[in-house]
Amino acid sequence: MSDLTSLTLVQTIKALQDKQFSEEELNKAYLDRINSLDPKLNIFLEKKKNTRGIPAAIKDVIVTKNIKTTAGSKILSNFIPPYNATVVEKLLEQDISILGKTNCDEFAMGSSGENSAFGPTKNPWDLTKVPGGTSSGSAVAVASDSCVFALGSDTGGSIRQPASLCGVVGLKPSYSRVSRYGLIAAVSSFDTIGPITKSVDDAALVLDWISGSDNFDSNCKNEKFTFRPRGLEAGIKGLKVGIPKEYFGEGLEASVKKVIEDAIKKLEQLGAEIVEVSLPHSQYALAAYYILNPSEISSNMGRYDGIRFGSDRQDFGEEVKRRIMLGTFALSSGYYDDYFAKAAKVRTLVKQDFEKAFTSVDVIVGPVSPTTAWNLGEKIDDPLTMYLQDIYTISANLAGIPGLSVPCGFVDSLPVGLQILGKQFDEETILKVGIAFEQATDWKKEKPKL
Amino acid sequence: MNIKHVAKLANLPLTHHEEEKYSEQLSKILKYIEQLNQVDTSDVEPTFNVSGQENVISEDKIGECLDWKEGFFKTKGVFNNE
C-alpha cells in the first residue's frame, strides 16, 4: 500500500488486524515520510527508529524515559528524563511506539509555534504561515501525515488552535480527566493533555486510552472516558446547540465567521436545535487568564534555578521571561489582591456563565480562532496582539470544560476549525457532535500538498 | 512597575535592553488587564481548582510488604544473592 500514512488510527488498527501490512512496514513508511518532510517543516526535535507498534508523535513537554525532552527550551536542551509520563505509559500498553518528540512553543507559552528555542514549525498548507501553538509540531505532524496521531497539551487553547490552523482534529479533555504526571508543569490549574488526530473517532479512542485514575496525580479523576463507537454515532437529532453571541462580535474575521455560520447551518440540517446563549463574562476571560497564567508560570519556572537542570536563567526565551516578570509582579507584596485574587474571582464568574448556559443547551459551538494562520514573524513583536488570538479558547480552560476542534472549511486555502465545547466531564456529547459533523462533510479528506 | 525590583524578586538577570522592552510591553499588557476592575466581584469566591474534587487518594489497603520476624524486617541479602 502506497498511501498507508494517510490512514486514520482506527483504519490503521483495522488494516494491521487484516494483515494488509506489517507493523514494520508501517513504521518504515512513516520514518521515510518524516525523513523527506521534516527538513522543510521542522516538526521533530527527536526521532526514533522503531520496527514495532503504531507510530505516534509526542509533544516535547511530555517526558519520555531515555528520550531527550526539552519543552522547546534551551534550558532543558540536555535533559534526558529517567521516567515516562503516565500518558506515555498508557500508550505503550496499547502497543503504540514513539516516533518522535514534537516541536512546541517554549514551556507551552505562545500562540504561534514561534517561541521554540529550536526554530518555528511551518504550516503545511503554506510554509510562510505559522501553524499555531503551542502544540505546533504535534498538529503539523498529523496534518502532514508524519504520524498516525499525536499528543499535545492545552493550557489556553494549545491543542485546539493549532489543530484549527492546520486542519486536523484536536481534543482538549476536561481538566483533571487525564493525569498530568510527567507533563512539564506550566500552569498547573489549567494544564491538560489531549490527542491531535486525523478523525474524531481517533480522538475518542486515544482519550479512552490516556484517561483515568493515576496514583501520581491526586487531582486526576478516577473515572476514565470509555470509547463506545455506537453510542457516538447515534446522531444529533434534537440536540441543543448553543451559539454564544459574544463569540461572533468584533475581532472575528468576516471570512472565518462565514465558514463557521455555514457549519452551524450544517448542524441544524442534521437535526440539532440552534439556541442563542450568552456568556457575559467572556470579554474579561482573557484579562483574567493573563494574570493567572503568568502567576502560576512564574512559580513553576522557579525550579530552573541553574542547579537541578543546569543552564542559567538568562537562557529562558523572551516570552518565558516576559511571563515570569508579569507573574512575579502580580504576586508581589501589595499587588496580590488587585491582580491574582481579582482574576481568580473573575474565573469563578466565567465558570458560572458556562454552568448557566449548559442548563439550556447540550453543547456550545463557535470559532476556535478569530483568524486563519498568519504570516511567520507577523505578530511576534506585539505580545498583546498575540494573546488576543486565544480569545475563544481560554474560557474553556478557565472553566475546566472539554473542547473539540473539527475541520469545517477553508478561507483562501487555509483551514478553519469549528469549536465544540461541552459540560465538564461530558466529552461524549462533544465527540458525538464532532462525528456527526465530520461524517456529513468532506473536510477531513483535504490534505496539504507537500 | 519597578522592573529592576521585579527582576530581582524573580531571580531573572535582564539586560538593559530587555528592561526597557519589558517595561513598555508589560505596562501595555497591564493596561489591558485593568478592565477587570469593571467587574463587580464583591460577593464572588475565587476559583483555584476547577476539577470539583479534592485529594483523590487510592484505596486504603495493604499491599505487598516485607516479611517481619522478631522485630526485624527480612530482606534479600544486599551484598550477595542469599
Side-chain angles (χ1 to χ4, degrees):
Chain A
M1 272 181 83
S2 58
D3 61 343
L4 90 191
T5 57
S6 68
L7 298 178
T8 67
L9 172 61
V10 171
Q11 289 167 342
T12 303
I13 293 171
K14 176 87 172 41
L16 284 169
Q17 279 166 354
D18 296 347
K19 303 210 185 314
Q20 289 179 32
F21 47 79
S22 68
E23 288 187 1
E24 189 168 353
E25 286 167 315
L26 179 70
N27 277 282
K28 186 174 182 310
Y30 275 104
L31 202 63
D32 288 350
R33 189 161 171 90
I34 62 176
N35 283 337
S36 80
L37 288 181
D38 201 31
K40 62 176 166 185
L41 294 172
N42 197 24
I43 300 170
F44 288 99
L45 299 177
E46 284 289 293
K47 279 173 263 191
K48 292 273 289 173
K49 197 177 168 188
N50 305 300
T51 52
R52 286 202 59 250
I54 294 174
I58 311 290
K59 185 179 182 182
D60 208 33
V61 292
I62 298 169
V63 301
T64 41
K65 188 174 179 177
N66 299 333
I67 305 175
K68 193 164 81 179
T69 300
T70 68
S73 180
K74 197 178 163 191
I75 280 217
L76 290 179
S77 54
N78 294 312
F79 176 52
I80 298 176
Y83 69 103
N84 277 326
T86 296
V87 288
V88 172
E89 284 293 331
K90 286 183 189 248
L91 289 183
L92 294 176
E93 282 168 23
Q94 300 293 338
D95 204 18
I96 301 302
S97 59
I98 298 169
L99 179 62
K101 301 299 295 290
T102 55
N103 202 357
C104 56
D105 287 294
E106 182 174 3
F107 290 111
M109 297 177 213
S111 307
S112 67
E114 294 166 292
N115 291 338
S116 168
F118 308 102
T121 302
K122 312 286 173 61
N123 192 311
W125 295 91
D126 180 341
L127 300 181
T128 67
K129 305 281 183 190
V130 300
T134 63
S135 307
S136 48
S138 287
V140 175
V142 175
S144 63
D145 286 331
S146 299
C147 62
V148 181
F149 72 93
L151 288 187
S153 68
D154 193 313
T155 301
S158 289
I159 287 175
R160 290 160 288 158
Q161 190 252 22
S164 169
L165 268 40
C166 292
V168 292
V169 173
L171 172 63
K172 172 221 175 292
S174 307
Y175 177 75
S176 86
R177 175 64 100 180
V178 175
S179 168
R180 295 163 302 165
Y181 180 70
L183 172 65
I184 293 174
V187 190
S188 306
S189 81
F190 292 74
D191 293 341
T192 56
I193 300 175
I196 297 179
T197 56
K198 298 176 190 179
S199 77
V200 181
D201 265 349
D202 287 4
L205 179 58
V206 176
L207 181 63
D208 179 313
W209 289 343
I210 63 174
S211 64
S213 69
D214 180 23
N215 280 344
F216 297 119
D217 180 353
S218 58
N219 205 4
C220 179
K221 196 175 174 63
N222 280 328
E223 292 75 31
K224 74 188 275 280
F225 169 83
T226 305
F227 177 43
R228 294 183 297 131
R230 278 195 209 117
L232 291 180
E233 306 229 336
I236 57 168
K237 208 166 174 2
L239 206 86
K240 290 203 175 90
V241 174
I243 311 297
K245 55 175 188 273
E246 292 82 2
Y247 284 33
F248 291 85
E250 203 190 334
L252 177 61
E253 228 166 59
S255 50
V256 173
K257 187 177 175 186
K258 172 82 176 53
V259 171
I260 300 295
E261 284 170 347
D262 288 347
I264 293 167
K265 273 184 208 136
K266 191 73 186 174
L267 293 174
E268 198 169 13
Q269 284 166 18
L270 292 168
E273 188 187 328
I274 308 297
V275 183
E276 191 176 288
V277 294
S278 177
L279 301 168
H281 294 93
S282 295
Q283 60 167 316
Y284 302 110
L286 192 86
Y289 180 80
Y290 276 101
I291 285 298
L292 299 173
N293 168 305
S295 298
E296 292 195 37
I297 280 170
S298 71
S299 166
N300 271 324
M301 292 299 120
R303 77 197 60 184
Y304 306 106
D305 52 8
I307 297 168
R308 278 164 282 192
F309 297 91
S311 277
D312 195 85
R313 281 172 80 76
Q314 70 199 17
D315 288 344
F316 278 130
E318 205 174 293
E319 181 63 25
V320 180
K321 286 182 186 170
R322 188 154 41 231
R323 294 204 196 179
I324 291 175
M325 290 294 289
L326 188 53
T328 304
F329 171 70
L331 294 175
S332 64
S333 174
Y335 295 101
Y336 175 87
D337 284 331
D338 285 348
Y339 291 104
F340 191 83
K342 180 80 183 178
K345 287 177 183 172
V346 173
R347 184 178 193 180
T348 305
L349 295 171
V350 170
K351 188 167 179 280
Q352 287 170 349
D353 278 357
F354 280 108
E355 284 163 0
K356 183 157 176 267
F358 281 126
T359 58
S360 56
V361 296
D362 299 296
V363 296
I364 288 174
V365 161
V368 174
S369 166
T371 67
T372 51
W374 56 95
N375 292 328
L376 285 157
E378 188 181 325
K379 294 176 181 167
I380 199 73
D381 291 324
D382 188 352
L384 189 56
T385 308
M386 189 74 95
Y387 296 170
L388 285 164
Q389 290 297 318
D390 300 335
I391 193 114
Y392 303 129
T393 49
I394 47 148
S395 294
N397 299 80
L398 286 162
I401 60 172
L404 181 71
S405 175
V406 186
C408 71
F410 289 82
V411 170
D412 298 332
S413 308
L414 290 169
V416 176
L418 178 70
Q419 180 167 228
I420 308 167
L421 300 171
K423 293 172 196 165
Q424 190 178 28
F425 301 121
D426 187 15
E427 285 85 1
E428 180 147 344
T429 308
I430 58 173
L431 289 163
K432 200 193 271 183
V433 175
I435 285 172
F437 182 80
E438 187 180 73
Q439 287 179 347
T441 54
D442 280 332
W443 303 116
K444 83 167 180 187
K445 289 184 191 146
E446 303 282 336
K447 298 270 184 185
K449 290 173 191 68
L450 284 160
Chain B
M1 182 194 294
N2 181 341
I3 284 283
K4 279 188 199 298
H5 174 66
V6 175
K8 188 168 171 261
L9 290 177
N11 184 23
L12 206 55
L14 296 182
T15 63
H16 182 64
H17 171 70
E18 283 175 321
E19 280 175 2
E20 282 189 347
K21 190 167 67 177
Y22 289 146
S23 252
E24 192 199 317
Q25 289 177 341
L26 295 180
S27 37
K28 217 170 132 190
I29 294 166
L30 287 171
K31 199 163 164 33
Y32 177 83
I33 285 164
E34 268 173 26
Q35 60 174 299
L36 289 179
N37 294 327
Q38 297 163 15
V39 190
D40 178 9
T41 53
S42 44
D43 293 321
V44 182
E45 289 293 314
T47 296
F48 300 115
N49 182 0
V50 284
S51 73
Q53 349 181 72
E54 52 184 287
N55 299 335
V56 178
I57 47 179
S58 51
E59 207 185 325
D60 187 12
K61 61 179 182 194
I62 298 168
E64 269 181 42
C65 59
L66 297 170
D67 285 340
W68 185 81
K69 196 178 173 186
E70 293 168 10
F72 294 98
F73 287 114
K74 275 168 66 180
T75 69
K76 281 185 179 165
V78 174
F79 297 109
N80 48 33
N81 296 324
E82 282 165 6

